[in-house]
Structures are given as C-alpha cells and as structure tokens.
Amino acid sequence: MKKSWMKRAGLALAAVLTAGAVWGTGYAPDVQAASSAFSDVKAGHWAESAIAKGVSKGYVDGYTNGTFKPDASVTRAEFVKMVVSAMKLETKEASGKWYVPYVDAAASKGLYATSDFANSEATWNKTMTREEMARVAARAIGEKTSENDKWMYLATKEGLIKGMGKAQLAPKGLTTRAQSVVIIERILTSNAGGNLDSDLYATGAAEIMWHGTNIFTVMPEMFVTPESDWKNKGKTGIEDMWNEKNMTITSKDGLYQAKLDALIAIDMADPNDPNRALLGDINTLKWFNGNQMMKNPIKGNTNTYVIYFKSKQVFNKDRTRYVNRTFAQFQVTGFGNVDGDAYAAGKLNKAAYVYRNQMGDVPAVIVPKSGTVQGMNDISIVLQTPASGTWFKNVDLLRLRGIK
C-alpha cells in the first residue's frame, strides 16, 4: 500500500467541495467522469462494482489519466468525509481545515469520539487503519460498545468487513481507496435494510482478538440460554457472558498459575477451517471413552466440533502439590448423554477428551453437533488447578443455565 499519496491531489470525494478545498491547497485537479471505466480497475476487480456505485453516487471519483488508484491509502479525514458524504449527513460551515465540517458531522452522529484519537491536524492526516475503519463502520450502522477491541468483531459479524485472506484481519493494515468504497457501500446496504454476507473465518478471528475465544462464532447453536439470563446481567448478548478475566488461574497459595491464551472451536466438517493446524495430524488423534484399550479415532467424526485450549502453565512452584503440565487443566460440561453403554462401546454421543498417544497429551475436547443432552449440569467451561482436596480450585470461563 502506498503511503506517499498526499502529493497526488485528487480524492475528489464528492461534489460538495472542490478538491482544492479538501486538501486546503487551492489546487483543484481534474477528475475522471463518473461514467468512465478506470484503467487500473479491470473487469473482475474485487472492488469493481462498489467503485462504480461510489462514483455514480458522487462521494468518490477518479483521475483525468483514467485511473482510480484503488490501492492508494486513505487518511482518517478522507475516510470520514466519504462516509459523511455517502450517508448524506448534514454538514455546517466551519472555520479551519477542509475536513472540520465532516468531522463535526461525524461526531454529532456518534461516528467519531475524541477518545478515538485527538482532534488535530496531525492525527486526521494519518492513514486510516482497518481497525479504525471497522470502528467507524460499526458505529455507522448503530453498533455500540465500550470495549475498543470489540469493534472489529462487530464489523465482521455484521458483514461490513471481511478478511484479507483466510482469517487474516490485518487490524493495523492501512485502508485503501478500494477498501473504503467497498465498506461504505456495505454501510449503505445495511442501513437500507439489505442483507450482508459475513466472513465466518474473519469473524471468528475478530472474536478471538476481542475476548479470547471464537466459540460463539463457530458453534453458536451449542451455547444457548434464555435471553433473560444475559439481559438481567446487563449484557448486550450471550457473547458477553464469556469471563475473560478468568483466563488466568492462580492457586489459592499462589504457588501455581496457568493461562489460557485462547479457546478455539474447530469445525471438523470444514476441511478449510483455519484453526485445524492446531490439532496436528488428524489421523493420529483419538477420543477417550474411559477405556484405555479402545482407540477411538477422531478421523471420520466430522459432525463434531473440537474445542482446543491454547494455554500454558505459567509457573509451578510446588510439584508435589500440583501436577506439572505444559497446559492448563480444564473441564467442559453440559454436553452429555444418558446412553452410557453406547458411549462405552465406542459411539461418540457426548463430549470427550482428545488425545494422541496417551490421555492428557492434547488440550482439547470433542463435542458432537447433535444428540447430546444437557441433563442436570450447566453448560460450563472452567479452568482448574491440577490438584486435589484443599488445593483444588475452579474458575468459570463460561457458565450458562442453558435450555434443559
């Protein structure tokens, strides 16, 4: 992405102001007619349709040499101007730099807050990052959050932003003209009541970036509870029931600590799931049904999810009290089955631990997508200290009453 774009006068974003006013230079470059094709936007270009719509609506334009410069970077001020112009928000005359009326309009509609970054010429002239673009885009369709790291999740979940490749978010990546127009067209579609397709892999990655798990993106049908449960706790959704602060567990005596870096759900029916690599060779994985003599293969059980605990032991200062492991001890409940005989015979009808060579060598459980019974247990995911008696401790990562 090109960072030296400031000298290429000519975003020519909308007919509301001349390009000279946009840049504050007094120089007004010629622009390409909206109906013309651009030589650097070939047929089949991923942003071709959005660029054509943006040009026809007048909030962006091209150059007299027949180019659009889709890969040129966009400053924060330029992006905000495009969004404000495209949404037809009211602007008022204001003294100062060319972008002030647009910033004021964005602020009045909640698209920008001074807590995002300082309202100064130096900051507005910085290139917009994809993370910042996600924040503006999510706000533009009415999303709200007080968590700065949740904006990308909200934007991807709603279909406003997609990945830069399989599950690659590039939050610090620089925003381009093509990306800007595509996202703005999605904003307009959403606000008009249209449907947007979301990128499941990108949403899952954004959920992990937000609060350390992707279970609500990958396997939402498994984690259910009455809406009143999370609403009564002042939560905005069931995803907020995840207890991120408990991803580190410290023993009561302070001699043991383990940390969950991420809890990652993997769809075993999807050979392209970007997190399958965490499991290594699928052919050597097995699930444990209590009989060490049986070797129940994971391979072939595609109607399942694997929940992988990407974790580590931080320290263990008393190995006589705490079992020494490379990862955290965990437990998943709420996915059981009353048919214990079938389970003992090798039918995967409830959650089971995953292993490769011996029980406990893979930090994961496998959960059938259907046929499990919650029974009397809550749906829960917990971390534990690897000890018994007085030194045993549980902390909830998630606990749902569920629908029993």
Side-chain angles (χ1 to χ4, degrees):
M1 299 181 183
K2 302 175 183 177
K3 297 181 180 179
S4 59
W5 187 53
M6 289 299 293
K7 293 184 180 179
R8 298 178 193 152
L11 246 194
L13 303 168
V16 181
L17 293 179
T18 66
V22 167
W23 296 103
T25 62
Y27 172 66
D30 295 326
V31 295
Q32 181 73 8
S35 60
S36 301
F38 301 111
S39 61
D40 55 354
V41 183
K42 303 296 184 183
H45 186 283
W46 68 274
E48 178 187 16
S49 175
I51 290 171
K53 290 177 182 177
V55 170
S56 69
K57 294 172 185 177
Y59 64 82
V60 71
D61 217 325
Y63 299 83
T64 52
N65 64 358
T67 64
F68 183 79
K69 295 182 172 61
D71 296 326
S73 58
V74 173
T75 67
R76 292 163 169 169
E78 293 159 7
F79 183 76
V80 166
K81 180 184 188 299
M82 280 194 282
V83 173
V84 168
S85 299
M87 293 180 67
K88 296 180 171 29
L89 301 182
E90 182 183 1
T91 57
K92 299 178 181 178
E93 290 187 13
S95 59
K97 301 296 180 179
W98 64 266
Y99 54 77
V100 172
Y102 302 98
V103 171
D104 289 346
S108 68
K109 291 296 182 179
L111 307 186
Y112 162 72
T114 53
S115 57
D116 297 340
F117 46 80
N119 188 359
S120 68
E121 182 177 4
T123 54
W124 282 111
N125 283 332
K126 287 186 177 181
T127 302
M128 192 85 168
T129 67
R130 283 171 51 81
E131 192 169 39
E132 292 166 346
M133 177 174 64
R135 183 166 53 204
V136 173
R139 287 169 173 166
I141 66 167
E143 294 291 338
K144 296 180 180 179
T145 182
S146 59
E147 300 176 75
N148 284 331
D149 54 3
K150 191 177 180 180
W151 290 114
M152 184 66 81
Y153 170 69
L154 294 173
T156 52
K157 180 183 178 183
E158 295 302 320
L160 298 173
I161 289 183
K162 299 186 178 181
M164 300 283 289
K166 193 162 74 171
Q168 299 300 311
L169 294 174
K172 302 304 180 184
L174 303 183
T175 301
T176 67
R177 279 165 58 82
Q179 291 171 354
S180 297
V181 177
V182 168
I183 270 62
I184 290 170
E185 284 301 312
R186 291 173 185 161
I187 291 171
L188 298 178
T189 297
S190 179
N191 285 340
N195 294 319
L196 297 173
D197 294 328
S198 62
D199 180 340
L200 181 68
Y201 298 154
T203 305
E207 189 189 347
I208 292 172
M209 187 174 75
W210 163 35
H211 64 179
T213 187
N214 67 348
I215 59 172
F216 299 104
T217 296
V218 177
M219 46 192 300
E221 79 281 12
M222 306 299 289
F223 294 100
V224 293
T225 203
E227 283 191 6
S228 58
D229 286 3
W230 50 265
K231 285 185 176 179
N232 290 341
K233 292 180 180 294
K235 309 293 186 181
T236 59
I238 194 170
E239 304 100 317
D240 292 303
M241 297 290 281
W242 176 256
N243 201 339
E244 186 178 354
K245 67 177 175 46
N246 278 351
M247 289 175 69
T248 296
I249 181 171
T250 305
S251 63
K252 299 172 185 177
D253 59 10
L255 297 178
Y256 173 87
Q257 187 177 90
K259 184 178 189 301
L260 177 66
D261 295 317
L263 183 68
I264 300 174
I266 303 165
D267 188 347
M268 298 306 289
D270 181 4
N272 297 313
D273 189 305
N275 294 306
R276 280 177 78 99
L278 290 170
L279 300 176
D281 185 359
I282 303 294
N283 297 315
T284 63
L285 288 179
K286 309 165 188 70
W287 61 272
F288 187 67
N289 69 338
N291 185 346
Q292 294 185 10
M293 301 300 294
M294 294 186 69
K295 308 295 182 183
N296 305 299
I298 295 292
K299 185 179 180 180
N301 287 288
T302 56
N303 193 37
T304 59
Y305 297 109
V306 168
I307 303 176
Y308 186 88
F309 287 73
K310 187 178 180 181
S311 61
K312 60 179 176 289
Q313 177 179 279
V314 179
F315 58 78
N316 185 349
K317 298 179 181 180
D318 189 344
R319 297 187 181 187
T320 63
R321 185 171 292 172
Y322 303 101
V323 178
N324 201 54
R325 291 196 177 102
T326 58
F327 50 80
Q329 183 167 302
F330 56 86
Q331 185 179 51
V332 177
T333 65
F335 305 107
N337 199 292
V338 295
D339 193 349
D341 291 339
Y343 183 74
K347 180 179 180 181
L348 184 59
N349 60 6
K350 63 178 180 178
Y353 287 102
V354 175
Y355 72 102
R356 178 165 276 110
N357 298 312
Q358 60 185 7
M359 180 60 184
D361 64 357
V362 178
V365 296
I366 187 167
V367 182
K369 291 183 179 179
S370 60
T372 64
V373 179
Q374 187 181 342
M376 299 301 293
N377 295 318
D378 290 339
I379 297 172
S380 71
I381 302 173
V382 303
L383 291 185
Q384 303 170 327
T385 53
S388 58
T390 304
W391 311 113
F392 178 78
K393 178 182 177 182
N394 258 349
V395 293
D396 288 342
L397 294 165
L398 179 70
R399 185 166 294 277
L400 303 173
R401 178 161 56 106
I403 302 174
K404 299 177 184 178

